[in-house]
Amino acid sequence: KWVHLHQFLPETDNTSLLIDHIDYKAPLGFIGQLVAGRFISKTLDRLFSFRHTRTQNDLGRYHPYAQQPPLKIVITGASGMIGTALATFLSCAGNQVQALVRRPPKLESSEIYWDPYRGELDKGSIESVDVVIHLAGENIGAGRWTSKRKEEIRRSRVEGTHFLSETLASLKHPPKVFLVSSAIGFYGNRGDEVLTEESPVGQGFLSETCKAWEEAVEPARKAGIRVVNVRTGIVLSSLGGALAKMLTPFLMGAGGRLGSGNQWMSWISLEDLLGIFHYLIHTDRVSGPVNATAPWPVTNAAFTKTLGRVLGRPTIL
């Protein structure tokens, strides 16, 4: 048996209570309750504690801008882990969110077709939008970095960004803000050096790609659009990305530090990254590069130890 009552009850003129009432019975009656009852209860407590905390945090992020009118927002890469969560988060704030897609748009959807390699995008479909968020690019963790793969990674970011930037610059009514995904790979491998947005570019494939990626926004910046390059760290979510790939071996007890374990990992939770994008949309004084990471990075050894402790698994390999 499983009955879930999800209630929103008014508390004051400006606040409400969120109540989840679960009425359940385990299978096999008394035996099922004896064997699994405590596990079910602990799992439900953890599940709804997380849901309520996330709901409260999201509402806290919306609140400072609650009196502002809804925005028209266009997102590329909306089918990825970050894009899917961001589109949902911004829609729940009351904004009108549309996705730029490279496949035929779904029927009765608000999707907009584009092909950056062929230079195809209907300008009228993005005329007078308020915000454009550009997340699209080849997944860097989807395969080995052959020469061909590296060129695809670079081309998808640089050419796509430049085409979109030029298109926005040519509009009669361009967006107020253009948020473009970048990465902390911009800085390269710098050991224990403390890095800020003012630090120079590093060396190697990732650094060179990020530099060209960020320079590709120049047409939009010259047209007077506020441009922000969001240099994202390692985004932690069980929905995808690095953490999702780590979970299986760690849960099997095969997790462990990589090499010396002294490598620094500048991480950020998916929820905090959504909050950063929301803040950047509404904060006119911010432009240029922004490091989207948690305040304190950790070493790979510290991260490994923490993940093992959270999952209740050894990390000795």
Side-chain angles (χ1 to χ4, degrees):
K1 177 184 177 182
W2 175 270
V3 180
H4 177 189
L5 182 62
H6 193 52
Q7 293 178 292
F8 295 88
L9 303 177
E11 185 182 42
T12 69
D13 289 343
N14 297 312
T15 62
S16 57
L17 293 172
L18 169 58
I19 300 174
D20 285 286
H21 181 83
I22 310 294
D23 183 17
Y24 70 92
K25 289 183 180 179
L28 304 179
F30 172 76
I31 296 176
Q33 185 63 29
L34 182 66
V35 172
R38 189 163 179 267
F39 170 78
I40 295 173
S41 178
K42 287 181 65 177
T43 301
L44 287 175
D45 284 344
R46 185 177 63 182
L47 174 66
F48 284 97
S49 175
F50 169 75
R51 289 187 177 188
H52 287 195
T53 299
R54 184 167 64 177
T55 301
Q56 194 168 28
N57 289 344
D58 284 352
L59 292 172
R61 293 185 175 106
Y62 296 147
H63 183 69
Y65 315 105
Q67 303 306 315
Q68 297 189 16
L71 300 171
K72 292 182 179 180
I73 302 174
V74 169
I75 301 179
T76 75
S79 61
M81 178 187 74
I82 297 172
T84 300
L86 185 59
T88 302
F89 177 79
L90 295 174
S91 296
C92 288
N95 301 299
Q96 178 186 332
V97 179
Q98 294 178 276
L100 280 181
V101 298
R102 293 186 56 194
R103 50 166 175 74
K106 296 177 181 178
L107 294 176
E108 299 181 2
S109 74
S110 61
E111 295 176 339
I112 302 168
Y113 174 76
W114 79 313
D115 188 332
Y117 297 139
R118 295 184 178 181
E120 297 178 2
L121 174 58
D122 176 18
K123 292 183 181 180
S125 63
I126 59 172
E127 192 75 61
S128 299
V129 301
D130 299 299
V131 181
V132 174
I133 302 175
H134 182 39
L135 305 175
E138 287 290 324
N139 186 346
I140 66 171
R144 288 190 57 176
W145 282 12
T146 61
S147 297
K148 180 181 178 182
R149 179 72 181 150
K150 288 164 72 173
E151 179 56 29
E152 290 173 349
I153 290 171
R154 186 184 186 282
R155 185 184 177 208
S156 68
R157 284 159 172 76
V158 178
E159 291 189 19
T161 301
H162 189 263
F163 168 67
L164 188 54
S165 184
E166 283 192 325
T167 302
L168 297 180
S170 69
L171 296 177
K172 293 180 180 179
H173 304 284
K176 299 180 182 69
V177 58
F178 183 30
L179 305 184
V180 184
S181 181
S182 183
I184 57 170
F186 177 92
Y187 304 107
N189 182 8
R190 308 279 272 272
D192 293 338
E193 181 183 348
V194 177
L195 302 167
T196 72
E197 288 88 347
E198 286 74 37
S199 299
V201 66
Q203 297 179 341
F205 168 68
L206 281 179
S207 299
E208 293 166 2
T209 298
C210 288
K211 182 176 184 292
W213 191 6
E214 294 187 7
E215 289 174 346
V217 303
E218 276 307 302
R221 184 177 285 116
K222 289 180 179 178
I225 301 172
R226 180 169 65 90
V227 179
V228 183
N229 301 103
V230 187
R231 293 176 181 168
T232 306
I234 301 170
V235 183
L236 299 183
S237 171
S238 59
L239 299 175
L243 182 59
K245 291 181 180 295
M246 296 179 199
L247 286 179
T248 298
F250 270 78
L251 285 169
M252 294 173 65
R257 71 185 187 191
L258 301 176
S260 68
N262 293 327
Q263 312 93 314
W264 286 102
M265 299 176 64
S266 293
W267 61 277
I268 186 169
S269 71
L270 178 58
E271 286 73 22
D272 280 343
L273 181 59
L274 304 185
I276 286 178
F277 273 103
H278 193 238
Y279 174 81
L280 295 174
I281 287 172
H282 293 283
T283 308
D284 293 340
R285 66 180 181 275
V286 180
S287 62
V290 169
N291 288 335
T293 64
W296 297 106
V298 295
T299 63
N300 174 258
F303 181 90
T304 298
K305 184 177 180 181
T306 301
L307 182 57
R309 185 175 70 248
V310 169
L311 297 176
R313 296 292 191 274
T315 56
I316 58 175
L317 295 182

